[in-house]
Amino acid sequence: MSPARNPLAGLEGRHFISTQDLNDQELKALLDLAEELARGRHGKLLEGKVLGMVFFNPSLRTRTSFEAGTFQLGGHAIHLAVGQGVWKLEHRDGVVMDGAASEHLKEAVPVLARYCDLLAVRCFPSGSDWKEERKDPVVTGFADHSPVPLINMESSLYHPCQGLADMLTVRQKLKRPGGKKFVLAWTHHPKALPTAVPNSAALIAGRSGMDLALAHPKGYELDPLVMRQLQENADRLGTTLEISHKLDDALDGAHVVYAKSWGSLKHHGNEAAEKKLRSRHRKWIINGDGMARTDGGIFMHCLPVRRNVVVTDEVLDSPASVVVDQAENRLHVQKALMAALAGRLPRPATAPKRTRGGGS
Ligand code: CP
């Protein structure tokens, strides 16, 4: 009998833009491999491979975990900060390039692919027109022009590596997440933040079979594309999707409280109007009273987090907080992802040979 095909074999050579790109078997197998790598079975899976990481925005966890993970697997990672030692890049088609950008993605990406076996890009929305930004033009441009696998390190719409790490953390802490309640809780913040993390957190929670509650003030609805994906996930897996405009009610009976602030997409690009709306919701903070309403729930956040704005010290310093485990899991899921995209999966452990006869 031939051995069953590893579902991750199908990821070789593919781009990774959203967790929605993975089918259920691939998602499960990726998290299984991440758990295996977390237990210390490294091997030099990326020996001789080069990862090129292009950052349009800052990072602590993403950069460090990709760089450390590539090194641990025997490969090499190159950090490229756009506009800071690397030419400013243009992504729009047909523009007269007489502005700040010196180079177009159409040349830069294929050139990078001649040096690198994997590429990764981070590009947040710039706060202009959401109708354009929701098309994720930079990550899409990289994907379109890259002959090697492209990893999304956070775009306008998705932060899929964070989503994978979040789900690995939920699996570790809840054991069997199916049927349990995941609350994505909007919180106040001094700035209008992107929606990529809440989108990916909600999408991956739905994929795990958890019942999903989105808690946010009116005006902070997620993008309709993501809402459609969330509903499709819920319909397919038989889970629930609820929206609440009252934080306390949403926290009742929660097993996971995932706090995240994001800016109102209705006012994307209109800073003054967004700030006016946001300033009415300073009470949206996760505190001890809120956590007391949960069913022994864990507290999650992607980091960086603003203490006593998003969440109180009391909660963040309590045993319920798993934020550092989430950050650690970035390392494990990304190692699994890179190995799969590069076609360098670990060999399956060989079963011990059976011997004939023998004693008891
Ligand atoms: N969570 C996350 O992506 O962290 P960084 O922005 O520091 O990479």
Side-chain angles (χ1 to χ4, degrees):
M1 200 169 69
S2 62
R5 188 171 184 266
N6 184 340
L8 293 181
L11 263 62
E12 182 176 354
R14 271 168 50 184
H15 298 323
F16 179 63
I17 309 297
S18 164
T19 50
Q20 292 292 105
D21 300 342
L22 304 175
N23 67 34
D24 291 343
Q25 291 74 26
E26 289 165 346
L27 181 56
K28 182 184 177 306
L30 198 60
L31 295 176
D32 288 346
L33 177 56
E35 268 183 355
E36 193 182 322
L37 296 175
R39 284 195 294 271
R41 193 183 152 201
H42 289 157
K44 298 295 178 197
L45 299 174
L46 292 181
E47 190 162 17
K49 298 284 183 188
V50 177
L51 167 71
M53 302 181 294
V54 181
F55 282 91
F56 287 77
N57 312 96
S59 162
L60 185 148
R61 280 143 290 274
T62 303
R63 176 184 174 179
T64 315
S65 56
F66 265 110
E67 215 164 306
T70 309
F71 173 78
Q72 288 172 6
L73 294 182
H76 179 74
I78 300 172
H79 173 251
L80 300 158
V82 176
Q84 298 165 44
V86 171
W87 305 117
K88 283 198 173 166
L89 297 173
E90 179 58 72
H91 66 272
R92 294 166 298 170
D93 272 340
V95 292
V96 177
M97 285 178 54
D98 58 359
S102 305
E103 183 158 20
H104 202 281
L105 295 191
K106 287 182 179 181
E107 287 75 49
V109 177
V111 166
L112 288 173
R114 299 276 173 107
Y115 310 140
C116 303
D117 305 281
L118 298 165
L119 290 177
V121 63
R122 163 170 282 198
C123 188
F124 298 167
S126 62
S128 51
D129 180 3
W130 182 245
K131 276 201 196 94
E132 286 305 310
E133 301 220 63
R134 72 193 290 274
K135 295 179 193 161
D136 257 340
V138 175
V139 75
T140 305
F142 266 74
D144 287 348
H145 298 295
S146 177
V148 302
L150 178 81
I151 300 170
N152 179 358
M153 297 193 293
E154 188 171 344
S155 64
S156 294
L157 278 180
Y158 305 114
H159 194 353
C161 297
Q162 183 66 52
L164 291 175
D166 294 340
M167 196 35 54
L168 182 59
T169 311
V170 168
R171 259 175 49 157
Q172 290 165 342
K173 303 296 174 188
L174 268 54
K175 307 299 177 205
R176 273 186 288 278
K180 296 197 170 143
K181 182 176 178 182
F182 185 107
V183 179
L184 173 64
W186 184 93
T187 57
H188 191 258
H189 196 280
K191 292 201 278 191
L193 297 181
T195 50
V197 168
N199 289 346
S200 286
L203 285 168
I204 200 78
R207 294 289 298 280
S208 71
M210 297 184 79
D211 289 329
L212 180 59
L214 306 181
H216 59 75
K218 284 183 185 162
Y220 284 86
E221 291 73 25
L222 295 175
D223 188 88
L225 168 69
V226 173
M227 290 306 298
R228 198 164 60 240
Q229 292 173 337
L230 291 175
Q231 193 60 61
E232 282 166 8
N233 288 345
D235 291 345
R236 191 170 63 77
L237 295 168
T239 58
T240 59
L241 171 62
E242 288 173 10
I243 298 170
S244 171
H245 299 308
K246 291 189 176 157
L247 179 58
D248 281 352
D249 289 355
L251 293 175
D252 281 340
H255 299 95
V256 174
V257 178
Y258 196 112
K260 188 71 187 80
S261 189
W262 65 88
S264 168
L265 295 178
K266 280 185 178 168
H267 299 302
H268 190 80
N270 183 345
E271 208 179 317
E274 206 287 333
K275 194 171 180 180
K276 194 171 164 204
L277 177 63
R278 192 160 22 93
S279 66
R280 284 195 231 139
H281 302 296
R282 289 181 190 281
K283 289 188 179 158
W284 283 69
I285 180 171
I286 304 299
N287 57 25
D289 289 343
M291 291 303 290
R293 300 179 78 113
T294 70
D295 186 359
I298 56 171
F299 173 82
M300 300 183 73
H301 191 281
C302 63
L303 303 181
V305 69
R306 301 250 183 170
R307 282 177 172 259
N308 302 311
V309 176
V310 169
V311 54
T312 58
D313 286 339
E314 178 191 15
V315 173
L316 202 51
D317 295 332
S318 76
S321 173
V322 299
V323 297
V324 176
D325 296 319
Q326 274 174 270
E328 177 190 327
N329 283 333
R330 292 290 302 276
L331 183 67
H332 308 310
V333 297
Q334 290 161 192
K335 284 161 72 174
L337 178 69
M338 288 190 287
L341 299 181
R344 291 283 189 87
L345 295 170
R347 283 203 197 92
T350 45
K353 276 186 187 163
R354 286 216 191 125
T355 50
R356 281 173 186 278
S360 58

